[in-house]
């Protein structure tokens, strides 16, 4: 059965995913709502198997609970014609002719570069990353830019290829190559949802 949520639920799940794992109080502080409202939403989303509750015991004190987005919740956040994408990717990887398979993969990469990079033409790397961020957001990606470190980071909070990546990590490499071609610089996938991180981070290697 396909789970359906509204924009308020999606926003709540995205906020919780940014926290990785959080108590009710921490969620209240982020959402700016009462504990009662948070509990009601948590219970409902737990019932849909989109949020998991974990008991945490520290020292001799009473245990407390933290909440996090489940694998199903992550797939829902990254739902972007996922079923069709899974089928097409499986068919591509199943092509026996290696030359044909590589040629098609290259064409897919080029098509994505053209789609995301259509309006990415700023003279500076920072400007191009801002333009790429906007292009991704227009297509339903939840991304942010982090300029606090020595190198800018593009952070994806919802993996658009969650199911594909779970079975074949090469899709992550394809996405990295697309970003490199759009931005005109090397990128490093420093964190990935497949490794248990709460987001995927693509770190620019030069400015």
């Amino acid at each position: 059965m396909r789970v359906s949520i509204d924009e308020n639920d999606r926003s709540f799940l995205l906020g919780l995913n940014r926290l990785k794992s959080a108590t009710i109080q921490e969620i209240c502080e982020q959402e700016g709502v009462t504990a009662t409202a948070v509990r009601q939403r948590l219970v409902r989303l737990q019932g849909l198997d989109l949020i998991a509750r974990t008991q945490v015991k520290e020292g001799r004190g009473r245990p407390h609970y933290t909440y996090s987005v489940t694998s199903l919740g992550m797939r829902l956040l990254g739902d972007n014609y996922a079923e069709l994408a899974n089928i097409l990717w499986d068919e591509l990887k199943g092509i026996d002719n290696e030359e044909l398979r590589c040629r098609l993969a290259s064409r897919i990469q080029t098509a994505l570069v053209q789609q995301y990079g259509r309006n990415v033409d700023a003279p500076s790397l920072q400007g191009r990353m801002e333009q790429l961020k906007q292009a991704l957001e227009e297509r339903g990606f939840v991304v942010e830019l982090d300029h606090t470190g020595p190198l800018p980071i593009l952070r994806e909070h919802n993996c658009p290829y969650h199911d594909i990546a779970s079975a074949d990590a090469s899709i992550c490499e394809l996405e990295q190559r697309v970003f490199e071609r759009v931005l005109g610089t090397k990128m490093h996938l420093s964190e990935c949802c497949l490794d248990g991180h709460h987001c995927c981070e693509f770190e620019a290697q030069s400015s």
Side-chain angles (χ1 to χ4, degrees):
M1 182 180 68
R2 185 180 178 84
V3 176
S4 178
I5 59 173
D6 61 24
E7 286 304 311
N8 290 330
D9 287 337
R10 179 176 291 274
S11 176
F12 184 87
L13 288 172
L14 286 170
L16 178 57
N17 191 47
R18 289 191 181 97
L19 293 173
K20 301 183 183 181
S21 180
T23 63
I24 287 179
Q25 180 59 37
E26 289 169 338
I27 298 172
C28 289
E29 292 173 359
Q30 173 172 272
E31 298 294 319
V33 296
T34 66
T36 299
V38 168
R39 286 192 180 94
Q40 290 175 345
R41 194 177 295 272
L42 285 172
V43 168
R44 183 162 53 79
L45 294 177
Q46 279 182 266
L48 295 173
D49 197 27
L50 302 179
I51 287 178
R53 186 176 77 161
T54 304
Q55 187 181 75
V56 179
K57 186 170 184 179
E58 298 175 345
R60 297 182 179 180
R62 293 181 58 186
H64 65 276
Y65 293 95
T66 61
Y67 299 83
S68 58
V69 179
T70 64
S71 177
L72 177 60
M74 290 290 289
R75 288 199 298 271
L76 187 61
L77 291 177
D79 189 6
N80 185 17
Y81 302 102
E83 186 174 0
L84 175 60
N86 290 340
I87 293 172
L88 293 174
W89 189 259
D90 286 343
E91 290 300 317
L92 171 65
K93 303 301 285 189
I95 295 174
D96 292 330
N97 188 313
E98 183 177 359
E99 181 182 354
L100 176 59
R101 185 172 67 249
C102 291
R103 189 161 67 246
L104 287 174
S106 178
R107 292 183 64 174
I108 290 172
Q109 183 183 125
T110 297
L112 289 172
V113 170
Q114 292 173 344
Q115 183 180 43
Y116 298 153
R118 187 171 296 116
N119 297 312
V120 179
D121 56 4
S124 68
L125 174 59
Q126 181 172 340
R128 293 194 298 276
M129 291 188 76
E130 290 286 354
Q131 291 172 330
L132 174 58
K133 172 179 177 289
Q134 181 177 349
L136 294 172
E137 287 177 335
E138 290 172 353
R139 291 163 175 81
F141 290 60
V142 181
V143 296
E144 65 176 324
L145 289 179
D146 185 346
H147 296 289
T148 59
L151 296 170
I153 294 173
L154 178 69
R155 185 174 292 122
E156 282 185 344
H157 287 288
N158 64 325
C159 176
Y161 316 108
H162 188 277
D163 283 349
I164 296 177
S166 297
D168 182 7
S170 68
I171 189 69
C172 302
E173 182 180 350
L174 182 144
E175 186 176 36
Q176 179 181 331
R177 298 291 175 256
V178 168
F179 290 166
E180 288 179 341
R181 290 177 60 184
V182 170
L183 296 170
T185 190
K186 287 288 186 181
M187 302 290 287
H188 172 58
L189 182 57
S190 54
E191 290 193 3
C192 181
C193 292
L194 290 182
D195 299 326
H197 299 287
H198 74 293
C199 64
C200 295
E201 293 191 347
F202 297 86
E203 184 177 291
Q205 296 299 285
S206 62
S207 56

